[in-house]
């Protein structure tokens, strides 16, 4: 059955579609960042080695790309949701800053974890800061590119009348 209206999307589709946008997307990535340090500690058994957290972060970023791809292959989603996700993937391929801005929220989640659990070390602070700095640069670049794209669209739609 094909669904043509976003009002008819199921709860799960609406939830998955919203995980990449606005506040829900930011909160989702904050949660991932918050869980990353603890997960790396538990899985590796190593507390304060820089490389363990860096490798753990790379594993998280890898899983953030692979798990959705697997879910898209296994679970049949409506055509509308598949088109939305395809457009987002094309956007991410075209503008790297779209992906880099995700690091900001992951780094912020790591920073919140450090404050909440008073688990601050040089490696934690460094990785979190690098994520937030790279993500902030990506976020600013994304906003600039998006506004330029919107301006060029509006300019192309403007009709220029010759002066008589």
């Amino acid at each position: 059955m094909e669904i043509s209206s976003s009002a008819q999307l199921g709860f799960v589709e609406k939830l998955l579609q919203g995980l990449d946008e606005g506040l829900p997307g930011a909160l989702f990535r904050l949660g991932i960042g918050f869980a990353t340090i603890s997960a790396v500690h538990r899985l590796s058994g190593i507390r304060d080695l820089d490389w363990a957290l860096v490798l753990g972060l790379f594993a998280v970023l890898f899983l953030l790309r692979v798990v959705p791809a697997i879910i898209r292959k296994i679970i049949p989603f409506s055509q509308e949701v598949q088109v939305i996700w395809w457009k987002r993937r094309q956007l991410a391929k075209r503008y790297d800053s779209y992906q880099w801005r995700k690091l900001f929220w992951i780094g912020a989640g790591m920073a919140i974890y450090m404050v909440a659990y008073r688990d601050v070390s040089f490696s934690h602070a460094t990785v979190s800061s690098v994520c937030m700095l790279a993500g902030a640069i990506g976020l600013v670049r994304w906003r600039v590119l998006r506004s330029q794209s919107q301006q060029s669209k509006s300019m192309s739609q403007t009709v220029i009348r010759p002066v008589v």
Side-chain angles (χ1 to χ4, degrees):
M1 183 170 140
E2 199 169 302
I3 300 172
S4 60
S5 170
S6 61
Q8 295 177 352
L9 291 178
F11 174 75
V12 173
E13 286 184 329
K14 284 181 185 178
L15 179 69
L16 291 174
Q17 179 187 352
L19 282 179
D20 202 31
E21 296 178 338
L23 183 60
L27 292 174
F28 176 65
R29 287 181 186 81
L30 274 172
I32 289 170
F34 189 86
T36 297
I37 294 174
S38 177
V40 167
H41 290 304
R42 288 188 180 164
L43 292 173
S44 71
I46 302 169
R47 247 188 122 55
D48 289 326
L49 290 179
D50 299 339
W51 63 267
L53 185 56
V54 170
L55 288 177
L57 178 63
F58 283 137
V60 166
L61 294 173
F62 177 74
L63 289 172
L64 280 173
R65 293 193 54 96
V66 171
V67 170
I70 292 171
I71 290 172
R72 284 192 305 269
K73 295 287 184 190
I74 294 174
I75 301 173
F77 290 100
S78 70
Q79 185 69 27
E80 183 176 313
V81 171
Q82 290 178 22
V83 167
I84 290 168
W85 287 339
W86 181 83
K87 286 179 181 178
R88 287 181 186 167
R89 288 191 306 276
Q90 296 311 305
L91 193 63
K93 288 177 185 178
R94 185 174 296 139
Y95 303 108
D96 287 339
S97 56
Y98 179 80
Q99 294 293 346
W100 281 97
R101 69 188 179 121
K102 294 177 181 179
L103 279 178
F104 177 82
W105 297 110
I106 292 172
M110 295 169 91
I112 292 169
Y113 173 88
M114 289 186 292
V115 170
Y117 288 99
R118 295 181 182 93
D119 187 7
V120 180
S121 70
F122 179 76
S123 63
H124 296 161
T126 301
V127 171
S128 175
S129 297
V130 167
C131 285
M132 290 192 326
L133 179 62
I137 291 169
L139 184 62
V140 168
R141 186 166 184 263
W142 170 246
R143 289 186 189 263
V144 167
L145 289 171
R146 194 172 67 185
S147 70
Q148 287 174 350
S149 174
Q150 289 172 348
Q151 286 175 355
S152 67
K153 283 181 184 177
S154 67
M155 289 179 67
S156 67
Q157 293 173 353
T158 305
V159 177
I160 301 174
R161 295 182 183 181
V163 178
V164 182

